[in-house]
Amino acid sequence: MTRPTGFDTVLVANRGEIAVRIIRTLRRLGLTSVAVYSDADADARHVAEADSAVRLGPAPAAESYLDVARLLAAAERGGAQAVHPGYGFLAENAAFARAVTDAGLVFVGPPAEAIEVMGDKIRAKDAVGAAGVPVVPGGHGADLASAAAELGMPVLLKPSAGGGGKGMRLVRDAALLPEEIAAARRAALAAFGDDTLLVERWIDRPRHIEIQILADDTGRVLHLGERECSLQRRHQKIVEEAPSPLLDEETRAAMGRAAARAAAACGYRGAGTVEFIVAGHGVGAEHYFMEMNTRLQVEHPVTELITGLDLVEWQLRIAAGEELPFRQDEITFAGHAVEARICAESARVTGVDGARRVDFLPSSGPVLLLREPAGEGIRVDSGIAEGTEIGAHYDPLLAKVVAHGPDRPTALRRLRAALAGTTVLGVDTNTGFLRALLGHPRVVSGELDTGLVDACAAELAGGGVPDEVYVAAALLRQRELAPAPRADGWTDPFAVPSGWRLGGQPAEVPHRLRAVGGEPVTVWLRDGAARIGEGPWVPARLLPAREGSARLDYGGRVVAFTHAGRWLGLAGSAWQVVEHDPVLSRATAGPPGAEALTAPMPGTVTVVKAAVGDEVVAGQSLLVVEAMKMEHPVLAPHDGTVTACEVSVGDTVAMDQPLARVTPHTAEETS
């Protein structure tokens, strides 16, 4: 096909994997790409792959990717006639879309008026409701607590101006509403610059299904089928697939017609997504409009794989004034596609037995080693490369691994295998968790709902670091400590920390290790064997391996790791094993009986609710740490007195940095 007319150079006003993905289509169409970057992204992959790149400013998004004036100046400097916003940042900002067109540039997206209507959840519900599209019961206004009481618990608080699940909070206890509303307003203001909220009735065990649409300037609106997005955590999608394994043809057709009406109601143009909440299964399942995303979706690859259409290409063609050359009945679907989102995050399991829970906390650091999968039906949309520095300034999404097959079981098998072949060392990711999730019986059978991931997260997060990881780490560390051979190739055996003794039993050499977030573990090594703690001795030795790999023969079973520094990766999971640091233990010990509260992730302290001398109760929120657009409250571990508070609002903290201490009440004090 010919390239779109009207422009030949496009500014990509975004970063990461979506910028790389847009650049790929621009190159295929023969269009010139101009990337933008903050100081934090100067060496990023999207900068390297674009035809040219323009610096925006410092790392904070408000001074770079969210600065409209700087983006327009970058377009002028790069000679761009069009701007593609990607998703996130300013992609759904009507003022940005209007500023682009006012500057005489083409905005590769819908009209500003459509963004305004659909970008405000309250206005959007009114608009589509008037067009006959069913909406979730809810309310808005100054007195959200009263509106929630009228709906009845549980309810869902949602930022009116945002999307992507950010700032949404499920509230089951009416007594917690004031605190939850305040937290939701903070999150909405930080993410979208607007703290307006609405409240909606919570539908228990719903499914989240969305319809992809395309609309041109003639008013033609077509839908490209649905995507099943029910596998979510904290209202954030982590696995998506197309088509849905749960929809019957009657419901599918009804939802497609409703999506087209919703898009027409706001005069839409370009690619967009209408999201529905679905209650029930099969024929007659009730579906309610949730919101419309006036942009490309993160999960668009699954639709591309089953339709054969490049959605970025059609965004560009529609923006250039082209009409859609096909009718609704000419859109065909082939096979099944499933996508998994690889994010920079660490899973921490807390509690015991039935009370166990998993916190997924942002992770940061350099990408020391990267291996991405390939093979039949596999697609990887990635924004990282070896050497990429993952910071705490932006969304934690690193890449998407997508599998396509003739049917759903094949697609799932291919995706699990692809995740097993994905290795990112230097920063924690959720790859292992995703692989376990895709093998869960309910996922395999297609029995999905939006509460499934949270319900089984502790089970899927695994039972800790495998013994093989500690043994391999100890052997690698021992090898690193060995002196280099002399020029003649001889090594002094007495200088090697292996426990070797002349004419006697080899000594047992202890290596005290811990994985990040774990407890210290002692690995004992002697010639050709290893023992963990007081466990049995097991034959163990390192085998020859290529650079970036380590092979361990452990009890007759060979385990192959990817290896970089103190990082070990195995089948999609990765661990950083470091020496136990006694200084850290002393720093967090505090006075006798006190419990130190440490930063659960690197980030910024946004709220401090307690001061030294305050009496607190177990579970009370004392501080809030924010990173990668996510808030994490730090809670009192027990009833007691705050005996230290070492941070203030605005402080930047590292993972495990001491924040405060709570000394428990004595028995006499509580009697």
Side-chain angles (χ1 to χ4, degrees):
M1 299 178 73
T2 60
R3 75 179 191 180
T5 59
F7 49 81
D8 56 34
T9 303
V10 179
L11 181 87
V12 183
N14 218 294
R15 65 177 300 278
E17 57 86 19
I18 184 54
V20 174
R21 186 264 171 276
I22 294 167
I23 290 167
R24 184 171 67 234
T25 290
L26 292 173
R27 182 177 298 114
R28 182 175 64 80
L29 294 176
L31 298 172
T32 300
S33 60
V34 180
V36 292
Y37 63 93
S38 72
D39 290 343
D41 282 337
D43 298 320
R45 180 174 170 179
H46 74 279
V47 175
E49 296 200 8
D51 295 307
S52 64
V54 179
R55 176 185 178 272
L56 291 175
E63 301 175 53
S64 52
Y65 297 105
L66 294 175
D67 191 312
V68 173
R70 296 188 191 206
L71 287 165
L72 293 179
E76 181 178 7
R77 183 175 175 185
Q81 302 95 32
V83 175
H84 195 305
Y87 44 67
F89 290 135
L90 295 172
E92 294 179 283
N93 186 294
F96 178 55
R98 190 168 284 115
V100 169
T101 55
D102 287 348
L105 305 173
V106 175
F107 182 71
V108 185
E113 294 74 20
I115 297 176
E116 284 177 334
V117 172
M118 291 300 180
D120 183 322
K121 290 185 176 65
I122 296 170
R123 290 182 63 189
K125 289 181 69 172
D126 292 342
V128 303
V133 179
V135 299
V136 180
H140 55 85
D143 193 356
L144 280 181
S146 295
E150 187 174 338
L151 288 169
M153 294 291 148
V155 296
L156 188 65
L157 300 173
K158 301 171 69 172
S160 180
K166 294 181 177 64
M168 292 170 56
R169 302 180 80 90
L170 173 62
V171 186
R172 297 186 179 275
D173 185 348
L176 298 178
L177 267 171
E179 183 173 344
E180 294 290 338
I181 290 171
R185 290 197 191 281
R186 282 197 307 272
L189 187 63
F192 312 113
D194 184 343
D195 68 355
T196 305
L197 304 178
L198 70 155
V199 61
E200 290 181 343
R201 176 181 298 160
W202 173 251
I203 298 174
D204 197 38
R205 295 192 60 196
R207 284 147 45 219
H208 183 143
I209 296 177
E210 61 191 27
I211 308 293
Q212 176 70 57
I213 63 99
L214 285 176
D216 62 22
D217 279 327
T218 70
R220 172 181 288 183
V221 182
L222 306 179
H223 73 83
L224 307 183
E226 83 281 1
R227 295 187 287 256
E228 176 72 57
C229 304
S230 295
L231 293 177
Q232 305 178 8
R233 181 171 46 75
R234 295 196 201 98
H235 311 294
Q236 291 271 3
K237 306 164 193 171
I238 56 175
V239 173
E240 304 94 352
E241 60 184 300
S244 167
L246 299 169
L247 287 192
D248 60 89
E249 289 300 326
E250 180 180 329
T251 306
R252 177 175 289 116
M255 292 179 67
R257 292 191 297 269
R261 288 198 303 272
C266 67
Y268 201 79
R269 183 193 69 221
T273 302
V274 182
E275 300 198 348
F276 293 91
I277 196 86
V278 180
H281 301 265
V283 177
E286 294 182 310
H287 56 275
Y288 301 100
F289 171 87
M290 282 201 306
E291 62 184 2
M292 182 173 186
N293 291 285
T294 54
R295 54 170 168 82
L296 199 64
Q297 289 281 86
V298 177
E299 57 272 21
H300 74 274
V302 294
T303 296
E304 293 184 325
L305 288 174
I306 67 168
T307 62
L309 298 172
D310 183 330
L311 294 183
V312 173
E313 175 182 347
W314 283 106
Q315 284 186 297
L316 293 162
R317 293 190 179 281
I318 292 169
E322 294 187 26
E323 296 181 14
L324 292 169
F326 36 80
R327 302 187 307 271
Q328 184 67 61
D329 59 5
E330 294 177 309
I331 297 170
T332 58
F333 305 97
H336 201 97
V338 191
E339 170 185 296
R341 302 187 187 191
I342 309 298
C343 295
E345 57 188 18
S346 305
R348 286 194 177 184
V349 181
T350 58
V352 293
D353 301 328
R356 292 204 320 160
R357 58 168 287 178
V358 181
D359 290 324
F360 291 87
L361 308 175
S363 178
S364 59
V367 177
L368 302 175
L369 186 147
L370 175 65
R371 291 182 184 165
E372 295 178 334
E376 184 178 1
I378 300 301
R379 165 176 166 175
V380 179
D381 284 12
S382 174
I384 59 173
E386 287 189 8
T388 298
E389 184 73 31
I390 309 302
H393 294 287
Y394 313 119
D395 189 276
L397 179 63
L398 303 179
K400 301 173 303 196
V401 179
V402 198
H404 180 252
D407 50 45
R408 187 172 187 267
T410 302
L412 285 174
R413 284 197 302 271
R414 287 178 174 174
L415 183 54
R416 289 197 74 219
L419 291 173
T422 301
T423 301
V424 183
L425 298 187
V427 59
D428 286 333
T429 73
N430 62 337
T431 309
F433 180 85
L434 291 170
R435 184 165 175 257
L437 173 62
L438 290 166
H440 191 281
R442 283 184 56 188
V443 174
V444 173
S445 66
E447 298 176 48
L448 312 177
D449 63 66
T450 57
L452 173 60
V453 175
D454 288 334
C456 64
E459 166 194 348
L460 298 172
V465 181
D467 289 351
E468 294 88 343
V469 172
Y470 285 117
V471 172
L475 287 168
L476 287 166
R477 178 170 175 263
Q478 179 172 273
R479 188 170 70 183
E480 290 169 1
L481 293 173
R486 291 188 335 194
D488 59 5
W490 185 81
T491 300
D492 181 357
F494 292 100
V496 177
S498 64
W500 181 83
R501 294 291 182 271
L502 180 65
Q505 179 72 20
E508 300 172 1
V509 179
H511 293 266
R512 192 165 169 80
L513 310 171
R514 70 177 175 91
V516 170
E519 295 297 320
V521 170
T522 300
V523 178
W524 296 86
L525 298 180
R526 69 184 185 197
D527 190 25
R531 183 179 73 179
I532 297 180
E534 300 300 319
W537 284 99
V538 178
R541 62 193 178 105
L542 290 175
L543 302 175
R546 62 188 175 90
E547 187 175 355
S549 299
R551 295 172 66 234
L552 171 71
D553 182 343
Y554 188 63
R557 185 170 69 93
V558 176
V559 182
F561 297 92
T562 48
H563 169 54
R566 288 177 174 172
W567 286 86
L568 291 167
L570 173 65
S573 296
W575 302 269
Q576 184 185 16
V577 182
V578 296
E579 290 183 71
H580 177 58
D581 184 354
V583 176
L584 177 63
S585 297
R586 288 196 299 270
T588 59
E595 179 158 342
L597 303 177
T598 58
M601 58 187 178
T604 302
V605 177
T606 56
V607 178
V608 176
K609 301 180 180 180
V612 174
D614 285 358
E615 300 294 319
V616 297
V617 297
Q620 181 177 334
S621 179
L622 305 182
L623 308 102
V624 176
V625 177
E626 188 268 340
M628 293 184 181
K629 303 180 181 179
M630 186 184 80
E631 282 192 344
H632 186 90
V634 178
L635 310 179
H638 43 234
D639 294 357
T641 304
V642 178
T643 51
C645 185
E646 303 177 26
V647 292
S648 303
V649 172
D651 285 356
T652 299
V653 295
M655 179 179 287
D656 293 327
Q657 177 177 328
L659 305 176
R661 288 194 298 272
V662 177
T663 301
H665 293 147
T666 64
E668 291 78 8
E669 290 174 327
T670 55
S671 61

